[in-house]
C-alpha cells in the first residue's frame, strides 16, 4: 500500500457524507461523532438499528434514497460504506473527480484516505494503523493502549496541563521553564500518586538549583 500521511482533522465545520446504512457505516458514523463532526448526512434507503437511533435523536441527517452523485455537493469528506463493492468504487471515483477526500471501506487504495483504529481517553487521542495489512494486531494494540497505558497517561496529561499553566504564570525565564517541563514529563505518570503542590515545589527547587549550578560553572569557565 502507498505511504500515508497521518493528520488530526477538525470536523466541526465539515459536511460529511456517509453512503451506506449498515453496520460498517454505523461504525464510521460513530467515530465521526466522537471526533466532533456536527454535520453528518447518511445516504441509504434503509438504516440499521444504530443509525436509525442516531437519526431519530437528530445526531445525523438521513436521506432515505439510493446514491446519486449530486449528494456529494458541498461535502468535505465522504465515506463509501455500502455492502456493494462496485458502488463503493463508483462513489470513490465520483468524489476523487470532485477533489473531495473519500474513504472506500471495500478497498482503501481506491480512496484518498483510510481510517485508523482510535484509542481515546479525555484529551488524549492515539491513532493506530497497519495500512490494512494486520487488522488483528491493530485491534490488539488498541486494547492494550486503552486498558494498560492511556488511563495512566491521561492522568499525566492532566497534571502536565495544570503544571504548564502554573509555570507560565511565574517569573521563570524560558530556559528555566523548559528545564522544569522536561523534568516533569519524565515523572508525570508516577507524580499522580503524590500531592500536586509537593511535586511542583520539588520541580521548582531542582530547576532553580540547576540554574544556579550552571551559572556558577559558567563563571568558573570564564
Amino acid at each position: 500500500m502507498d505511504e500515508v500521511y497521518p493528520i488530526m482533522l477538525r470536523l466541526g465545520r465539515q459536511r460529511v457524507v456517509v453512503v451506506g446504512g449498515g453496520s460498517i457505516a454505523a461504525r464510521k458514523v460513530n467515530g465521526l461523532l466522537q471526533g466532533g463532526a456536527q454535520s453528518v448526512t447518511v445516504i441509504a434507503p434503509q438504516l440499521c438499528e444504530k443509525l436509525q437511533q442516531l437519526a431519530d435523536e437528530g445526531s445525523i441527517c438521513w436521506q432515505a434514497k439510493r446514491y446519486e452523485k449530486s449528494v456529494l455537493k458541498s461535502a468535505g469528506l465522504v465515506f463509501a460504506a455500502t455492502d456493494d463493492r462496485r458502488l463503493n468504487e463508483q462513489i470513490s471515483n465520483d468524489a476523487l473527480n470532485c477533489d473531495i477526500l473519500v474513504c472506500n471501506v471495500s478497498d482503501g487504495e481506491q480512496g484518498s484516505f483510510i481510517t485508523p483504529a482510535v484509542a481515546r481517553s479525555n484529551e488524549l487521542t492515539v491513532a493506530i494503523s497497519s495500512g490494512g495489512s494486520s487488522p488483528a494486531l491493530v485491534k490488539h494494540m488498541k486494547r492494550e493502549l486503552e486498558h494498560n497505558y492511556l488511563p495512566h497517561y491521561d492522568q499525566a496529561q492532566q497534571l502536565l496541563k495544570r503544571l504548564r499553566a502554573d509555570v507560565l504564570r511565574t517569573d521563570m525565564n524560558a530556559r528555566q521553564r523548559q528545564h522544569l517541563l522536561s523534568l516533569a514529563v519524565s515523572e508525570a505518570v508516577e507524580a499522580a500518586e503524590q500531592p500536586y503542590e509537593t511535586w511542583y515545589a520539588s520541580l521548582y527547587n531542582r530547576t532553580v538549583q540547576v540554574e544556579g549550578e550552571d551559572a556558577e560553572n559558567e563563571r568558573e569557565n570564564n
Side-chain angles (χ1 to χ4, degrees):
M1 186 173 182
D2 293 338
E3 293 294 329
V4 294
Y5 181 73
I7 60 175
M8 297 289 186
L9 286 175
R10 300 189 187 280
L11 296 176
R13 298 184 180 181
Q14 293 283 344
R15 177 175 179 262
V16 185
V17 172
V18 178
V19 185
S23 59
I24 295 178
R27 288 200 298 272
K28 297 302 181 184
V29 168
N30 183 61
L32 289 164
L33 296 177
Q34 287 184 344
Q38 298 178 10
S39 177
V40 178
T41 300
V42 174
I43 310 297
Q46 295 179 322
L47 298 180
C48 67
E49 183 179 349
K50 178 59 178 177
L51 287 176
Q52 185 64 62
Q53 180 181 351
L54 292 173
D56 292 342
E57 294 171 352
S59 299
I60 62 174
C61 174
W62 174 32
Q63 294 186 17
K65 62 182 182 181
R66 296 186 179 279
Y67 169 76
E68 53 190 40
K69 188 176 179 179
S70 61
V71 304
L72 304 182
K73 185 178 180 181
S74 74
L77 207 63
V78 172
F79 287 80
T82 76
D83 58 2
D84 185 330
R85 191 178 186 90
R86 289 186 177 180
L87 178 56
N88 287 341
E89 182 177 357
Q90 178 188 341
I91 297 166
S92 296
N93 290 334
D94 289 345
L96 291 172
N97 288 334
C98 295
D99 294 323
I100 302 171
L101 293 174
V102 59
C103 172
N104 184 332
V105 303
S106 301
D107 185 347
E109 295 193 27
Q110 288 186 348
S112 49
F113 72 95
I114 57 176
T115 54
V118 176
R120 298 181 188 274
S121 183
N122 292 319
E123 294 176 286
L124 285 181
T125 302
V126 180
I128 316 155
S129 174
S130 65
S133 64
S134 185
L137 176 62
V138 169
K139 185 176 181 180
H140 174 76
M141 291 176 65
K142 177 183 177 181
R143 187 164 54 246
E144 285 284 299
L145 284 167
E146 289 176 335
H147 289 96
N148 300 327
Y149 294 97
L150 279 185
H152 303 294
Y153 280 99
D154 178 44
Q155 290 181 319
Q157 190 269 339
Q158 295 299 321
L159 274 177
L160 291 170
K161 180 180 179 180
R162 178 181 176 183
L163 178 68
R164 184 174 183 273
D166 287 344
V167 168
L168 290 176
R169 286 194 291 266
T170 69
D171 58 357
M172 301 175 78
N173 59 43
R175 180 179 175 180
Q176 290 173 322
R177 290 173 181 168
Q178 182 178 4
H179 182 269
L180 188 150
L181 293 173
S182 296
L183 277 177
V185 166
S186 64
E187 301 176 4
V189 173
E190 291 77 15
E193 300 177 1
Q194 62 179 299
Y196 171 79
E197 291 75 14
T198 302
W199 182 51
Y200 179 86
S202 173
L203 290 168
Y204 184 88
N205 291 335
R206 281 180 285 161
T207 298
V208 172
Q209 181 181 356
V210 169
E211 184 79 5
E213 291 174 354
D214 288 345
E216 183 176 348
N217 291 333
E218 186 174 344
R219 286 194 298 270
E220 290 177 355
N221 291 332
N222 291 333

